[in-house]
Amino acid sequence: MTERNIQVAELDRLAVEDQEVEIVERKGIGHPDSICDGIAESVSQALAQAYLDRVGKVLHYNTDETQLAAGTAAPRFANGDQPEGQKGGEVIEPIYILVVGRATKEYQGTHIPVDSIALKAARDYLREHFPALDLETDVVVDVKLGEGSGDLQTVFGEEGGQIPMANDTSFGVGHAPLTETEQIVHTAERELNTTFHDEHPALGQDVKIMGKREGDVIDITVAAAMVDQHVTSITDYTETVEAVREFVTELAQKFTDRDVHVDVNTADDVENGSIYLTHTGTSAEQGDDGSVGRGNRANGLITPNRPMSMEATSGKNPVNHIGKIYNILSTDIAETVVAEVDGIRDLQIRLLSQIGRPIDEPHVADAQVVTEDGLAVSDIEAEIRAVVDEKLADVTDVTRQVIEGDISTF
Amino acid sequence: MTERNIQVAELDRLAVEDQEVEIVERKGIGHPDSICDGIAESVSQALAQAYLDRVGKVLHYNTDETQLAAGTAAPRFANGDQPEGQKGGEVIEPIYILVVGRATKEYQGTHIPVDSIALKAARDYLREHFPALDLETDVVVDVKLGEGSGDLQTVFGEEGGQIPMANDTSFGVGHAPLTETEQIVHTAERELNTTFHDEHPALGQDVKIMGKREGDVIDITVAAAMVDQHVTSITDYTETVEAVREFVTELAQKFTDRDVHVDVNTADDVENGSIYLTHTGTSAEQGDDGSVGRGNRANGLITPNRPMSMEATSGKNPVNHIGKIYNILSTDIAETVVAEVDGIRDLQIRLLSQIGRPIDEPHVADAQVVTEDGLAVSDIEAEIRAVVDEKLADVTDVTRQVIEGDISTF
Amino acid sequence: MTERNIQVAELDRLAVEDQEVEIVERKGIGHPDSICDGIAESVSQALAQAYLDRVGKVLHYNTDETQLAAGTAAPRFANGDQPEGQKGGEVIEPIYILVVGRATKEYQGTHIPVDSIALKAARDYLREHFPALDLETDVVVDVKLGEGSGDLQTVFGEEGGQIPMANDTSFGVGHAPLTETEQIVHTAERELNTTFHDEHPALGQDVKIMGKREGDVIDITVAAAMVDQHVTSITDYTETVEAVREFVTELAQKFTDRDVHVDVNTADDVENGSIYLTHTGTSAEQGDDGSVGRGNRANGLITPNRPMSMEATSGKNPVNHIGKIYNILSTDIAETVVAEVDGIRDLQIRLLSQIGRPIDEPHVADAQVVTEDGLAVSDIEAEIRAVVDEKLADVTDVTRQVIEGDISTF
Amino acid sequence: MTERNIQVAELDRLAVEDQEVEIVERKGIGHPDSICDGIAESVSQALAQAYLDRVGKVLHYNTDETQLAAGTAAPRFANGDQPEGQKGGEVIEPIYILVVGRATKEYQGTHIPVDSIALKAARDYLREHFPALDLETDVVVDVKLGEGSGDLQTVFGEEGGQIPMANDTSFGVGHAPLTETEQIVHTAERELNTTFHDEHPALGQDVKIMGKREGDVIDITVAAAMVDQHVTSITDYTETVEAVREFVTELAQKFTDRDVHVDVNTADDVENGSIYLTHTGTSAEQGDDGSVGRGNRANGLITPNRPMSMEATSGKNPVNHIGKIYNILSTDIAETVVAEVDGIRDLQIRLLSQIGRPIDEPHVADAQVVTEDGLAVSDIEAEIRAVVDEKLADVTDVTRQVIEGDISTF
């Protein structure tokens, strides 16, 4: 028998799937905001790992404030005469990325090279995810990590089994299942940036997808940066754009029977040569700045139809930053409940922390549910409560998974 | 007779006022995120004004990416022996603020000193709003404004009467009326930072207010930075904290008959001297970084119970940035409708743009309403539609008001 | 009887005054290199003073690496219609100044706000010396002070009477008397930037003077930045240029009977409007970068006819930085000897330190002298030796005077 | 018959070789000032080459202002248990290098990516010369290149055969032959950083050599940074130090019959473990800042016994920057004269420019000579004059050689 304050109730609205208008957005990993999210989170993982390796526990840090100032580029179609490795255009003014945050630099006489670790993590992240970005010419990565304040710089997690205390009054919110439109938007970006990209290296990482559903009509709008070294002509470009359109259209049909219309790079003016061609695969090369926490929420989507937390999840310390933990955990709980409990059409999990209390004992854990027809909340309340309770008991799993990079935060 | 696509329908949920649990937050103007919002928006106003003065129209710019890297401070109680102007502690390492963005630097042979304008606007904003912040020792303001991309750098608004085209597919959302809890949270911060501050200069600008309502019980949690030069002792400190508590309690009672509990600086450990004392009135002096668009939405609140846009409103160009315009306009429309039309318990306005179409013709303008008991949506639909239509027709008013600083964006 | 290794010998060359060709240069206080020197030295003074005030002794620091990246400006003749305070043109892109160095940030539990002190000192210096430079729009001052290394971070001067040890093998060199050409070049800059400027505010601080003497003909070339807010027309400009020419010509005649030719702003092309007009009074506003130690030597001159030390004197710690101390002291010794001992036509003092030995006991103090006709070195050797010995005994006076700002270092 | 103003005269002093006291210094390529020189010059070469490749001529630029702010490091003896590639200690806070300067970014519609070129050149230089420096963790390279001013931004060298005009009144000075002490100091650093380093990778690039000769006794003091990954113990360290001492001693004896004493790392306190151990091979990793033009003169030495120019040669534009050209050319002339004309014990060449005149026609070219016993200046005047004249005629060779990297500037 648990003492956790878990409340299960009916959600006082239609399931999002049943609402008349739905809007969903996902900024791909190459969007300037997502680049910042990705760097912030990978710096966070590297720091957490370094602390564990060197002092056996994670010390205070937060690196959730990376800022990207866009560069300037002159993309150009690849030319057969250009030598391999120098095809296409070039970056004229490098992208500038400033990793900002706090991190404990010394612990009981051990110095932790947090700035060097952050620098390496950021550069490794860029190298791994942006094959067309030349780290020697196209980007400057700078680091400005301060020491944390005395009060916050306390150490936590000294004994493995202990539950940290909430450091703030904050809340997290998660949902499940994803609507058809949400699934299409999320999956399309992931698939474009993996499966499709493998066959079409012309597609850059900066893929932004907007989904809009009015009744039973779903419009998917894709803005996809193309990479000049893999595009030889305007024809080549338009063919790739069309390939994206077909790929997304096909993919969408796996998720829905509704009408789906897909548009790609609608702002292009092909006749005048005004197209979405880049040298690096991201609009950060030309005028689009970015920062952490401005794009996707912890579940990878922007969903104005649903409650969202403003919290920037990426880069936060996963041991004691309650906003990060609860946003990830609430999503995890929602997905698990829906996977294990039948009859749920829409589920919303909210976790509200209580400052100074163990994080497995939220002030309130609130499950709101829209049931399938013919089912009452009371029919499944106990099942839901059990999952929520179990997940809360295992709250430190979230921390572990985040440190190991098993959970995406954006 | 209008051709605008305006839809009025019933909102498929309870009015937020009638929901069981409600969470509201406001980051005061001294919160690091709000400092960035404030600077970004005041740089934007200064640039827009400079363009108007020098070339007669607003050129391309966006300055919505200010980054703040926190400093280090050593606050100390003011001491009678300290000379006037040097009371309290000091900043040890200055706050670093980097204004990032794009702005057109030349137009038909006229150079516009955008960097100098941005620098001055940022410093003026800080000087005006943060009396305890010494601009000679406590803060470094740096500026990194790039040129916009060729494509976007087009000029707009050449003829006064013309309506710009939407530059993106984006949406805005607004609500009215505010719930009791929302009103308390919003008003409390505004009053603390004006009326209360005038009498109690010890209160800094970094006031963060969290409101939580469960049924008919409202908990208001205030985190209020105190300014050391105006605090002589721990007793003095606790008295000011108590004054804040009383002030907010009294203020809350003007907005509600529900039970209200107010807590101030709950993380304090007075016995151990661990209190929320600052030298400058903001936590940016010690470990709290900030950036634009991470805090309050355009209506000044964070309201997870309501749909929110992720768009960073502050710093965006108010002439053609559709996300900014529609977030502000939808809020304005909601408030106007509620002021002019009786019988509305909750109203939500959504505006969805259509790229390439005039911004006064949104793809859809969607008014969803919860009526008072005994009233049908159809009873007031025409009235609502008329207000929405009129407001859309006057969309450029938003631009004008934003440039003149008449509308707060955070 | 002293044990100091003081050597007095004949100088193995003609007195510079008697050499056939002589070249002398002085960069005025508004030259970008001198701006950096001035900031570095004033930051140094402020830090030394702060250490004395707070912990009773000067701790380890060196701030001899300020870097200035030039801005962009659009100077314009002042116009009668322009309101007071806004006359002339403007700075388009601010000058960027980065104060680099090391400084001890904590001593026995006392935090010293070295970054804030440096920031204020740099800004105060600019404000005091550059009346046409608007600190709110024309310049960004940034600070990057590291901690010193463990080894060097030791404390010195604990007991007032103790002589520090030399921290390096280094040398200083000084000369006296100045030649006529040297006197003209040095005095002209000083007088232009004080007496003349008081009556002609149109003259900016960036005055660079080159003196060349061939036999008995002295050519003085002045490059003088004019300040737009005080210049109404091309005629006004040329009149001020002519006034400078006359002023320097008259001044020169007080120092010499030789022929003197003065040229001012010879690179001007008045007919094409290509003149040396600035908005701020320094070429740092437009394309001329600067850094510490690249301009004047410790005696205020660049004198290729004489041995010079490459050491950057400005910004160095005056307690234990032996290069700084010996450059200043050797100049001081040379001047004192010449003032007190008759019959010296040219004197060169060299001080060579020995690492780890007290700084009042140089490895060698070497006085080389050209005597007036009819006098042998042996006639005055004892007198010279006595002055050198006395000055070395009082070596810590140099430190005191530098900290109090009584000695110019550039 | 030439019209160049070439003057040949007796030098009014003893040959430096015959003076009683001589001081010489060389900062090795790993000294923070030399790192800046090296980067500045290699950025300059890369830009010049890029201009030639892209627009067929060198455009306006100057990149002579690189600033290095030191990092923090924790060197440690290499341990057999450490995996290859991770031996020794680590850099805790990266070195920060800011490349400052001006460069023309556009010419007749062609964009030149000067920032990207500079970034790559700087990083390539570091990679090539500092094998122990990990560019992913140990250093941040930032770039801040402004546009040149309108006036200066003119294009030069349009026709291959044309001689540029002097852009300033400036002078250069060169000497030959090197004294024994000068040869020892210069060669020792070069050999340590090549031959010796190849066999002893423990020796880092930061080798600073000070030579002092009093009469016939030469003291050579070497400060040599050791690289931790190649040093396993204090014994290993002292053995390498001793190897350096022996190597330099042997080398010195090839240049002189005088007594030579060599000291290496005299500041070490081996018993207390205070030694000159680094992780990267340069003191820039720990507290030693650097900037361009503060170290070696164009001939690779600091020679207070000889006239020196203050001009920073590295990073200057070799097409029209007269200070750079004349410093290099005067050294080249001096060496050539001494190689081709017998009987010269000491030679000093001075070149003084005349603004606005072709650079092959200096205001004066001044050869001052100390002849061997029994020879008069008049005996060799004609020969000297001929060499000077020929070299001046070929002045553009200097430019070409500098661009191709054939001439060291520091």
Side-chain angles (χ1 to χ4, degrees), chain B residues 54 90-94 96 111-116 119-120 123 127 135-142, chain C residues 54 90-94 96 111-116 119-120 123 127 135-142:
Chain B
R54 287 163 183 253
E90 65 196 342
V91 167
I92 289 176
E93 195 178 355
Y96 174 79
H111 286 273
I112 298 99
V114 294
D115 296 276
S116 297
L119 180 61
K120 181 172 166 51
R123 291 181 61 89
R127 189 178 291 108
L135 270 77
E136 300 303 308
T137 53
D138 300 352
V139 64
V140 169
V141 181
D142 199 355
Chain C
R54 288 163 182 253
E90 65 197 342
V91 167
I92 289 176
E93 194 177 358
Y96 174 78
H111 286 274
I112 299 98
V114 294
D115 296 276
S116 297
L119 180 61
K120 180 171 168 52
R123 291 180 62 89
R127 189 178 290 108
L135 270 77
E136 299 303 308
T137 54
D138 300 352
V139 63
V140 169
V141 181
D142 200 356

Side-chain angles (χ1 to χ4, degrees), chain D residues 2 15 22 44 48 60 73 91 131 134 144 158 171 180 197 227 263 269 298 322 330 353 368 371 410:
Chain D
T2 176
E22 184 188 357
S44 165
H60 177 71
V91 167
D134 183 339
K144 221 179 176 100
E158 304 239 15
F171 92 108
E180 292 174 2
H197 178 265
V227 177
D263 286 309
D269 181 349
I322 195 61
S330 57
S353 73
Q368 293 174 289
T371 51
F410 65 95

